[in-house]
Amino acid sequence: MFEFTKKAPLSDLQLTYSSTIGEGSVIVGNFSHLGNLLLSGHLIGDIFEEHPQLPESTESTVVIGRSGFLEGDIHTSHAVIVGRIEGSVFASGRVEIYPGAIVLGDVTYGQLNVHPDAKVNGTLKCLLEDGILVQASEDQGNTEDVTMNVLPMVKAESQ
């Protein structure tokens, strides 16, 4: 009925990286980068995406490779996780968590794709711009409107 593949993403082959931390490397301290970053080694510290003042600047992607291990937080536009993170992910855009990946921390995202056999132990928070108002239940004695990050389900169009 359902067919899932356990393949790793092709993104590490499709992206051009401005920064790479290779397998076997250990870095202690925060890491700031411009452009895409591939972490295949071990980083103890936070990852920050730099935002240059140039108008042609583009969003960056942080990829935690299969052998990558981050003990810290990620602050970026997009994140692809195949390895292990002990910390939180803050991505204004898309976060993809692939089979075999382990995230021990909260994930804040614009879009999220968690594949089967990926493990996330933390809270998920969506940064939707189009939240809807939900009337709180009068049974609980709260009658004020509460904004929630929930959008109505819409049937997907076939292509």
Side-chain angles (χ1 to χ4, degrees):
M1 182 172 177
F2 294 106
E3 189 173 321
F4 297 108
T5 62
K6 293 192 175 205
K7 294 182 179 179
L10 297 176
S11 61
D12 58 340
L13 301 173
Q14 296 171 344
L15 291 174
T16 302
Y17 295 102
S18 301
S19 303
T20 302
I21 300 173
E23 189 172 351
S25 300
V26 178
I27 296 178
V28 178
N30 294 337
F31 191 87
S32 296
H33 69 97
L34 286 170
N36 299 325
L37 166 67
L38 173 62
L39 173 63
S40 294
H42 185 174
L43 175 64
I44 302 169
D46 296 341
I47 296 174
F48 295 96
E49 174 185 352
E50 292 292 324
H51 295 283
Q53 301 302 322
L54 304 174
E56 65 270 3
S57 67
T58 60
E59 297 177 334
S60 299
T61 299
V62 172
V63 177
I64 308 298
R66 185 179 307 278
S67 61
F69 179 32
L70 173 65
E71 292 182 74
D73 299 337
I74 297 175
H75 303 267
T76 188
S77 298
H78 307 288
V80 175
I81 302 161
V82 186
R84 180 181 177 101
I85 297 177
E86 291 182 7
S88 297
V89 178
F90 304 93
S92 58
R94 186 170 185 81
V95 175
E96 292 204 35
I97 305 174
Y98 280 88
I102 298 172
V103 178
L104 301 175
D106 299 339
V107 180
T108 303
Y109 60 92
Q111 295 179 337
L112 178 66
N113 190 0
V114 179
H115 294 258
D117 296 329
K119 295 169 180 65
V120 179
N121 191 3
T123 60
L124 303 176
K125 181 179 179 189
C126 184
L127 299 172
L128 291 179
E129 295 176 7
D130 300 340
I132 60 173
L133 290 177
V134 177
Q135 182 70 30
S137 171
E138 291 185 19
D139 297 346
Q140 299 172 351
N142 188 353
T143 59
E144 60 188 53
D145 287 337
V146 178
T147 301
M148 303 196 56
N149 285 333
V150 178
L151 290 178
M153 292 183 67
V154 179
K155 183 177 178 182
E157 297 179 22
S158 58
Q159 295 179 1

